[in-house]
Amino acid sequence: MRAEAAASLETGSPPVPTHVAIIMDGNGRWATKNGVSRSKGHRKGADAVKEAIHGAIDNGVSYLTLYAFSSENWNRPPDEVRDLMGLLRMYLKREIRTLSKEGVKLQVIGRRDTLSEDIQDLIKHAETETRHNTRLTLLVALSYGAREEIAEACKAIASRVAEGSLNVADISERTVEEALYTASIPHPDLIIRTSGEKRLSNFLMWQAAYAEFSFLPVLWPDFTRQSFSDAVIDFQTRDRRYGARP
Ligand code: FPP
């Protein structure tokens, strides 16, 4: 039985998702709707990140993953990529102390080697500063793509076979699991996507196998901790059977 289901049986309270992952979408449309630059839309989007973190803490969620920059986002115009990297830099410099005070442990998943060196250093620093926190683990997906994650896992497994430390017959789901960026992180129970789009967009493809989905019409900069709570309430109405029958 899953941790969240076991806990709710014991307490009689509705299950709280252990891990919520969010595809933060709609910054550009919010900017157009409000007659401001895309850059401003992304800045407002960064403010909404705080709402999501508070929503997770309010609801007793243990893991929150935010899709902040995909492998494909590198194909956006250079000015926009620069803006997004600037926001990330600012976030990592200014928010880490607050996150730490709130008991948040930060971890980055994705191809961090493709980020500029100063950002890689800021990430390392943030991960070290927050490593002992236990209230919420915040995974930020940066330069992340699920296909790339799975291909990287295949490469790592093939290397172990080639060097003779792993037999082909011993490769299992667990072997793959342990080779992913999210090794040791429970799979997301709930994936939220804002802006009304209904796609996974190369996000946590392996890990999403039994996730519940919540597609919200709200544009990401308008997302609030209440939006988070509403999605959790909706999650609590779902009947999760993992392919089995009672
Ligand atoms: C999607 O909106 C959002 C992104 C590509 C980036 C998400 C980034 C943030 C929320 C801000 C920075 C985050 C951190 C962690 C500091 P879009 O531009 O695709 O919107 P559109 O589909 O309406 O054009």
Side-chain angles (χ1 to χ4, degrees):
M1 186 180 299
R2 306 282 153 150
E4 111 254 358
S8 79
L9 263 188
E10 251 170 48
T11 59
S13 54
V16 170
T18 302
H19 183 172
V20 176
I22 308 185
I23 304 173
M24 308 183 287
D25 195 10
N27 293 350
R29 275 162 285 169
W30 183 91
T32 305
K33 190 176 136 196
N34 289 282
V36 296
S37 62
R38 283 185 76 81
S39 171
K40 170 88 179 160
H42 289 315
R43 282 206 298 280
K44 289 293 284 181
D47 291 342
V49 164
K50 294 178 203 161
E51 291 288 313
I53 293 170
H54 288 129
I57 292 174
D58 289 350
N59 283 280
V61 163
S62 303
Y63 298 87
L64 173 68
T65 300
L66 299 177
Y67 202 6
F69 194 86
S70 72
S71 332
E72 291 75 24
N73 285 155
W74 290 112
N75 301 323
R76 293 199 175 194
D79 278 2
E80 187 171 356
V81 171
R82 216 169 15 247
D83 275 347
L84 285 166
M85 290 299 145
L87 267 179
L88 180 63
R89 218 174 250 118
M90 207 164 70
Y91 191 85
L92 288 166
K93 281 185 188 158
R94 292 199 187 154
E95 296 299 324
I96 292 311
R97 195 156 299 158
T98 315
L99 286 183
S100 213
K101 266 196 224 138
E102 286 169 342
V104 178
K105 172 178 173 174
L106 183 125
Q107 250 175 271
V108 166
I109 56 169
R111 288 285 308 274
R112 65 174 79 192
D113 57 301
T114 62
L115 300 167
S116 68
E117 267 183 33
D118 72 305
I119 293 185
Q120 291 186 44
D121 289 345
L122 286 168
I123 292 172
K124 229 182 280 165
H125 177 254
E127 288 180 332
T128 309
E129 280 287 293
T130 62
R131 71 189 182 286
H132 296 305
N133 296 335
T134 54
R135 198 175 188 192
L136 172 72
T137 299
L138 173 64
L139 298 168
V140 182
L142 284 176
S143 196
Y144 173 88
R147 289 177 176 168
E148 193 167 49
E149 177 182 34
I150 293 167
E152 287 295 317
C154 292
K155 248 192 264 173
I157 294 166
S159 306
R160 289 176 58 199
V161 171
E163 74 188 18
S165 65
L166 178 69
N167 291 322
V168 170
D170 293 332
I171 297 173
S172 64
E173 287 186 20
R174 187 163 174 180
T175 322
V176 179
E177 193 66 59
E178 286 169 355
L180 297 174
Y181 303 140
T182 52
S184 86
I185 305 285
H187 293 168
D189 303 290
L190 171 64
I191 297 183
I192 298 172
R193 182 171 190 148
T194 56
S195 91
E197 305 288 350
K198 298 181 178 71
R199 288 188 292 279
L200 195 51
S201 297
N202 204 14
F203 185 48
L204 301 178
M205 271 158 31
W206 171 282
Q207 300 87 338
Y210 277 100
E212 296 293 325
F213 287 85
S214 189
F215 297 110
L216 306 179
V218 66
L219 300 172
W220 177 252
D222 291 329
F223 184 91
T224 62
R225 59 211 284 177
Q226 187 58 50
S227 321
F228 193 103
S229 297
D230 291 345
V232 169
I233 291 168
D234 179 38
F235 167 85
Q236 290 169 336
T237 66
R238 313 282 176 94
D239 181 18
R240 302 183 81 195
R241 293 188 301 276
Y242 303 95
R245 274 203 300 140

